[in-house]
Structure formats: structure tokens, C-alpha cells
């Protein structure tokens, strides 16, 4: 294919690619045409010697594919927002620059196009296009098939200030209200036992209604442990739970260092 005809094909594909929207199958095919034409122009501009058609097609494909990120990087460096129209404009400019070099070399009689390239390109492009069509059709058919629903869940997490806790908390003598978040998705409404344990001791238990597909904030009361030692505090809702650690206020007669202090 002569260089002018190659340019006409490439620019026609670029024009459709830039202006034609809503055709998801056409865009990758048109882009492939542009990149193959650009890759062939790179070869004509840089490599005057002839080569087997299949090798030439492979090199043209690689050169064309490299041109795409090269264009995107150039647009980014120039401060141009990268989108479909700007990529098309960048490729058009690159095509023009490479074509000038090719035409100058051809005018000097140093470059000749390989007439076998079109036949080889067709032999590769037709199976590739069929594979693309079958692959897209298979994906769409799979998406249209019925799929089993996602498994449901009920989760429990620390909420509010407790969600930002990165270490043990100090529990005052009067205890504290611990905020938690209960979320449910894909499960029917149910009543689950909400329990609070400090160490191995169950300090509270009450039923909590968990609505379907909702998130709600709940507070639970955590009493102060009887000493200043580190205790594991677990809040559980049915089979799910969340944990933090806390220290209670020392209640010994002599304070933390007195005779009534309990050793941890």
C-alpha cells in the first residue's frame, strides 16, 4: 500500500474514532488500524531495507503500540487532558510528522513499500477480528445469564471516637458508653444477642433487632474493671464481634502504688 493511501486509511479511522461514540466494538478495531498504519510508517521512515512480510507486520505492530503511550506521555507533558479526542489529535500529529519523513525518503527513491504487507495483515486481522467479536459476544451473554446472589453478611465495628482508637483506652470509674456500628446486607431482618465481655466476664447481654440492608449506630455500656490492669473488651453480635483493650481506674485504698493495689 502506498504511503498516501496508508495516510488516508489512518486519518479516516482517526476521524471516526474521534467523532463516532457509542460503538464499543468499533473503537478498538479503529485504534488498531491507526496503530498498524503508524507502525508501518515508522518502519518506512527508519528502516529502508526490505524484510519478510510477517516480520515487517510484527515490527509495525510493536512500533504502533509503542506510539500510543508515547503520545499520551507527550500530551501529559504539554499539560493537555488525556481523553479520546486529545489522543486522536496527538496520533494525527504524530502521523503527519512521520509521514513527512517517509514522503521525503520515498521521493529520494530510498524506500519502497512491501506489496505483501496487505495480504499478511488481512490474514492476521480477520482471525483476530473474529476472536474479538466472539469474545465480546461471549462476555455479554455471560453477563445476561442469571447469577446466584452475593452472600449476605452482618458486621459489627467500632464507631465514632472508638473507631480512631489506636491503643488501650482508659475506662473511668463510672464506666463509658462505647459507640459501635451495625451493618447488614443481603440478609433478612433478625434479632441477635448483643453481648459485652470484659476479660472472661460477661457484663451485659440484650437482644438487638438487626434490620435488613441497613447501617445503624448503637452504644453499649462498658463498666470499669476493678483494677488498673489491661483487659480485653469484646462486643459481639451473634457470630460477629469486635475487640479493643482498656484499663480501669484503680480502686485500691492506697491508689495505684498503695498496699491495696492489685498486681497485674
Amino acid at each position: 500500500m502506498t504511503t498516501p493511501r496508508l495516510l488516508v486509511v489512518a486519518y479516516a479511522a482517526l476521524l471516526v474514532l474521534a467523532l463516532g461514540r457509542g460503538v464499543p466494538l468499533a473503537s478498538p478495531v479503529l485504534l488498531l488500524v491507526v496503530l498498524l498504519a503508524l507502525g508501518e510508517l515508522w518502519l518506512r521512515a527508519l528502516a529502508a531495507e526490505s524484510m519478510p512480510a510477517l516480520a515487517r507486520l510484527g515490527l509495525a505492530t510493536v512500533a504502533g503500540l509503542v506510539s500510543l503511550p508515547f503520545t499520551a506521555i507527550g500530551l501529559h507533558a504539554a499539560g493537555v487532558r488525556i481523553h479520546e479526542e486529545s489522543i486522536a489529535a496527538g496520533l494525527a500529529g504524530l502521523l503527519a510528522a512521520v509521514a513527512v519523513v517517509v514522503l521525503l525518503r520515498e521521493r529520494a527513491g530510498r524506500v519502497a513499500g512491501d506489496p505483501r504487507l496487505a495480504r499478511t495483515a488481512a490474514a492476521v486481522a480477520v482471525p483476530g477480528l473474529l476472536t474479538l467479536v466472539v469474545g465480546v459476544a461471549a462476555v455479554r451473554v455471560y453477563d445476561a445469564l442469571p447469577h446466584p446472589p452475593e452472600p449476605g453478611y452482618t458486621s459489627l465495628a467500632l464507631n465514632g471516637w472508638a473507631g480512631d482508637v489506636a491503643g488501650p483506652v482508659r475506662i473511668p470509674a463510672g464506666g463509658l458508653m462505647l459507640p459501635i456500628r451495625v451493618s447488614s446486607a443481603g440478609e433478612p431482618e433478625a434479632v441477635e444477642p448483643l453481648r459485652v465481655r470484659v476479660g472472661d466476664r460477661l457484663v451485659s447481654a440484650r437482644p438487638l433487632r438487626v434490620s435488613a440492608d441497613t447501617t445503624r449506630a448503637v452504644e453499649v455500656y462498658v463498666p470499669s474493671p476493678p483494677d488498673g490492669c489491661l483487659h480485653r473488651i469484646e462486643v459481639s453480635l451473634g457470630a460477629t464481634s469486635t475487640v479493643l483493650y482498656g484499663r480501669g481506674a484503680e480502686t485500691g485504698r492506697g491508689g495505684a502504688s498503695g498496699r491495696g493495689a492489685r498486681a497485674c
Side-chain angles (χ1 to χ4, degrees), residues 156-165 177-183 215-220 242 244:
L156 182 69
L158 298 175
N159 196 26
W161 62 264
D164 298 327
V165 169
M177 299 301 296
L178 183 68
I180 60 174
R181 183 177 65 254
V182 178
S183 299
T215 298
R216 59 180 293 195
V218 180
E219 285 189 325
V220 295
T242 185
L244 76 160

Side-chain angles (χ1 to χ4, degrees), residues 55-215:
R56 191 176 187 90
L57 179 62
L59 288 175
T61 303
V62 172
L65 292 176
V66 170
S67 300
L68 186 60
F70 176 78
T71 302
I73 292 172
L75 292 173
H76 178 72
V80 179
R81 190 171 71 89
I82 298 176
H83 51 82
E84 195 167 321
E85 289 81 2
S86 64
I87 287 289
L91 289 174
L94 188 59
L95 271 169
V98 178
V100 168
V101 178
V102 174
L103 291 173
L104 290 176
R105 297 194 68 182
E106 287 181 346
R107 187 171 184 179
R110 298 172 59 188
V111 174
D114 190 342
R116 296 171 295 174
L117 178 62
R119 295 193 299 270
T120 305
V124 175
V126 171
L129 181 60
L130 290 176
T131 301
L132 183 63
V133 171
V134 173
V136 171
V139 170
R140 292 189 175 181
V141 169
Y142 175 78
D143 289 337
L145 292 175
H147 300 286
E150 295 291 331
Y153 68 89
T154 298
S155 67
L156 182 69
L158 298 175
N159 196 26
W161 62 264
D164 298 327
V165 169
V169 297
R170 178 66 66 177
I171 303 176
L176 60 78
M177 299 301 296
L178 183 68
I180 60 174
R181 183 177 65 254
V182 178
S183 299
S184 176
E187 290 188 345
E189 181 175 313
V191 176
E192 299 284 354
L194 180 63
R195 300 183 178 91
V196 180
R197 288 183 172 85
V198 178
D200 296 331
R201 183 167 58 101
L202 179 65
V203 297
S204 68
R206 63 184 175 92
L208 179 70
R209 183 173 297 277
V210 181
S211 302
D213 300 319
T214 59
T215 298

